[in-house]
């Protein structure tokens, strides 16, 4: 993303400085896609563990008609995210930790492209017309807009399919234990056939709320940290990769720490087919969690979610910044070569 204070090779917005030219969309798509793929391949197992932890209390309350304190007792056998991960790998196979990865990878390029491009669009709209500078408040609002945009266009259907796949439990040793959904395309097909196209948008409001708060905190914190580091080290120098990793980690951890209840409710809503819609379903799920599991259940999966999102954002920002810089440098070198070629051709024509 273009920045106000950064040098031409930098891509993430900061809150002050001179206005930069808009970047090439093809470079944006490539950098965002590569960054997103690296992030998904590295961190997806933690997301699977997070979903299983968030759904655990719901299963316990259904087993043998248990409710209240009994359900709470039944679900306390394994709560550590490391133990849950080991349990999944042992019973279902190591690659079960990557359930739903196809849905994530299928949406990661448009997701990143929409996130970064919409953020830049909203940031430019909120920039000072005279100086081209966007304040921290403007960056926060641009992050909100980017989160809402990506959640509607990409994230909600991707999340619904991913959660359905991750919630499946089947034994790798029993050939008769066949999961309902084979892969992401099959899951989407079955859902549309049995529940209608709208089923792909279950929990869209909560997804938009989660994504908007995530990206608002993410971009704002990252921009402030980057501006401070560039001021301290000199804005004409490219920040080292490890600093992008650290800034991305800190900024990525902010969202999950204060919107965990939103994510838990959203996961419960998206996991099962339901005839209830909107506010009715939200109240039903929320009251069920409070009644059967207590308020602490709203923070289930927070540890693996932070460990999933924070490193994920660290990888995303670091890879994005590096790939963007490489592509800009390559584009500039090609432009120089082309300009020299045109100049030589023009000189030869004049001589003739």
């Amino acid at each position: 993303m273009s920045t106000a204070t950064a040098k031409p090779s930098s891509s993430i917005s900061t809150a002050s400085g001179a206005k930069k030219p808009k970047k090439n969309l093809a470079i944006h798509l490539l950098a965002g896609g590569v960054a997103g793929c690296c992030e998904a391949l590295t961190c997806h197992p933690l997301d699977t563990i997070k979903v299983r932890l968030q759904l655990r209390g719901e299963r316990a309350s259904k087993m043998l008609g248990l409710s209240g304190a009994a359900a709470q007792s039944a679900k306390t056998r394994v709560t550590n995210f490391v133990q849950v991960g080991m349990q999944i790998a042992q019973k279902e196979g190591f690659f079960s930790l990557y359930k739903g990865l196809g849905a994530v990878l299928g949406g990661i390029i448009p997701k990143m492209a929409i996130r970064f491009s919409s953020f830049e669009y909203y940031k430019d709209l909120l920039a000072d017309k005279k100086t081209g500078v966007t304040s921290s408040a403007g960056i926060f609002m641009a992050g909100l807009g980017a989160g809402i945009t990506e959640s509607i266009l990409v994230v909600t259907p991707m999340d619904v399919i991913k959660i359905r796949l991750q919630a499946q439990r089947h034994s790798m040793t029993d050939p008769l234990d066949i999961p309902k959904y084979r892969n992401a395309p099959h899951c989407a097909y079955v859902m549309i056939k049995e529940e209608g196209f709208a089923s792909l948008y279950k929990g869209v409001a909560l997804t938009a709320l989660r994504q908007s708060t995530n990206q608002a905190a993410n971009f704002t914190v990252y921009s402030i940290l980057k501006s401070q580091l560039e001021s301290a080290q000199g804005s004409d120098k490219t920040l080292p990769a490890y600093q992008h990793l650290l800034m991305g980690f800190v900024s990525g951890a902010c969202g999950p720490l204060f919107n965990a209840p939103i994510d838990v409710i959203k996961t419960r809503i998206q996991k099962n087919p339901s005839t209830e819609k909107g506010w009715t379903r939200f109240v039903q799920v929320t009251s069920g969690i409070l009644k059967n599991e207590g308020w602490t259940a709203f923070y289930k999966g927070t540890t693996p979610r932070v460990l999933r999102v924070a490193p994920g954002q660290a990888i995303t920002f670091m890879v994005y910044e590096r790939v963007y810089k490489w592509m800009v440098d390559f584009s500039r070198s090609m432009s120089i070569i082309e300009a020299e070629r045109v100049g030589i051709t023009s000189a030869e024509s004049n001589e003739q």
Side-chain angles (χ1 to χ4, degrees), residues 20 61 107 128-129 133 145 176-177 189 194 304 314:
K20 282 181 54 186
S61 64
D128 185 278
K129 303 303 179 183
V133 175
L176 299 179
D177 187 6
Y189 170 77
E194 295 182 354

Side-chain angles (χ1 to χ4, degrees), residues 229-277:
L229 286 173
E230 286 180 336
S231 297
Q233 300 177 35
S235 60
D236 59 330
K237 298 180 181 179
T238 301
L239 296 177
Y242 81 89
Q243 291 186 2
H244 291 300
L245 280 170
L246 290 175
M247 290 187 295
F249 188 92
V250 173
S251 63
C254 293
L257 290 175
F258 70 82
N259 65 12
I262 298 170
D263 193 57
V264 172
I265 297 170
K266 177 196 74 68
T267 299
R268 297 286 180 93
I269 289 175
Q270 293 176 331
K271 184 247 179 181
N272 291 319
S274 175
T275 56
E276 292 87 0
K277 296 180 180 180

Side-chain angles (χ1 to χ4, degrees), residues 51-62:
V51 169
R52 290 293 180 87
L53 283 170
Q54 290 177 335
L55 296 176
R56 174 150 297 187
E58 182 185 43
R59 289 195 182 94
S61 64
K62 291 179 179 179

Side-chain angles (χ1 to χ4, degrees), residues 14-122:
T14 54
S16 60
K19 190 175 182 180
K20 282 181 54 186
K22 294 181 179 179
K23 64 170 144 178
N24 186 288
L25 179 59
I27 296 177
H28 177 87
L29 287 169
L30 179 59
V34 171
C37 286
C38 291
E39 182 258 356
L41 290 170
T42 304
C43 302
H44 190 76
L46 287 168
D47 191 71
T48 299
I49 296 171
K50 179 211 74 171
V51 169
R52 290 293 180 87
L53 283 170
Q54 290 177 335
L55 296 176
R56 174 150 297 187
E58 182 185 43
R59 289 195 182 94
S61 64
K62 291 179 179 179
M63 291 174 56
L64 303 176
L66 295 178
S67 63
Q72 182 71 20
S73 175
K75 68 184 175 58
T76 55
R77 288 172 295 179
V78 179
T79 58
N80 182 279
F81 74 94
V82 174
Q83 293 176 321
V84 172
M86 293 176 63
Q87 187 181 73
I88 294 172
Q90 290 171 358
K91 292 185 176 181
E92 304 173 49
F94 174 78
F95 289 105
S96 292
L97 292 169
Y98 284 89
K99 284 182 177 181
L101 180 62
V104 174
L105 290 177
I108 205 72
I109 293 177
K111 172 185 174 180
M112 291 298 177
I114 290 168
R115 175 181 297 178
F116 290 129
S117 60
S118 61
F119 173 79
E120 287 299 322
Y121 175 76
Y122 297 134

